[in-house]
Each structure stands twice: as structure tokens, then as C-alpha cells.
Amino acid sequence: MEWLWWIGAALLFAVVEVVTLSFVLIMFAGGALVAAIACAFGWPFWAQVVVFGAVSTFLLLTFRRYLVHRFRTSTPVARTNADALVGREAVAIAEVSESDGRVKLGGEVWTARVPRGAGAVAQGEHVRVVRIDGATAVVEPLALGTGTTDVPGPAVTGGS
């Protein structure tokens, strides 16, 4: 029944791995499972520890890199905070120049400016956020016909 200790260790490693997602402890869980098999066949404790170490090391060196790569490429990146605002459209509520201006962005009023060399944006024009510098949105005017309005259009009803 000593093999149950190895099974318990494997379960503990697996549970902690679920919390950390480091792809290290799951390799230790695999080593503990093989050590449990060695224990069930009556191998001495020192041999079980050697099997645990060898299998864990083998798994770490061969599978961890693949699993980390697979996890990172299959998990979508969620942009948050200021990064989520880049690329969004806004409306200039005051003239926006290289040094000053205000835009309505995501229902909030932001200080804004245009990049150097870009012309000023008149009040009411639609702009796109290029980047966020601190608490200032750096914006550029949208090309004609690509902007959207904040005012909803007339309701479309099905008819017949």
C-alpha cells in the first residue's frame, strides 16, 4: 500500500499545477505515477526516488517546452486597460491639436492630441486612437466615410 503515497503526491502535484499553470508540477506528477508503479512491483525506496527523478527530468526536458508553446499560441490575448482603447474610434468634442484637445472615447472624455506633423482635428470629427500616452489619447482623423456615429439611426422595421 506504499504506492498510494506516490499516487497522493501525483494528485497533489496535479492540483497545484492547475493553479499555477507552470507545466513543471505536472511533470513531477508523471514521475510520481511511474514511481508508484515501481513501488507496486516491489522496488526499493531508493530506486523509486531515482525513477521519480529520472522520469520527471525526462518529461521536463522533452514535453514542457512543447506544452508551454502550445498553451501560449492557443490562448487568445485579451487586451485590457489602455491597450484595449488603441484602434477604437472616438469623437472630438473640442479641437484636437498637437498639444491639446478632448475626445469622447468609450463614453468618457479624454484629453487628446494628434501626432507631430498631423493637422488639427475639428470639433465633431471622428478619430481613431493610435496610442495612449499616460492619460492622453493620441488620435488621428478617420478617412472620409469610415467613421461611425454615436447617434443611432432610425429604427428599421420589417414590413410587408
Side-chain angles (χ1 to χ4, degrees), residues 21-86:
L21 287 177
S22 63
F23 295 106
V24 171
L25 297 175
I26 197 70
M27 305 304 166
F28 290 161
L33 288 176
V34 175
I37 293 169
C39 182
F41 281 115
W43 290 20
F45 182 72
W46 66 267
Q48 297 168 33
V49 171
V50 169
V51 165
F52 168 75
V55 171
S56 297
T57 302
F58 173 77
L59 292 173
L60 278 169
L61 295 176
T62 57
F63 292 110
R64 183 178 183 275
R65 184 179 303 208
Y66 168 76
L67 289 175
V68 169
H69 174 73
R70 176 85 187 230
F71 179 74
R72 287 186 181 158
T73 58
S74 67
T75 304
V77 176
R79 296 185 330 167
T80 60
N81 302 327
D83 287 339
L85 299 175
V86 175

Side-chain angles (χ1 to χ4, degrees), residues 78-98:
R79 296 185 330 167
T80 60
N81 302 327
D83 287 339
L85 299 175
V86 175
R88 291 191 55 194
E89 294 180 15
V91 178
I93 60 173
E95 182 181 8
V96 182
S97 66
E98 289 183 12

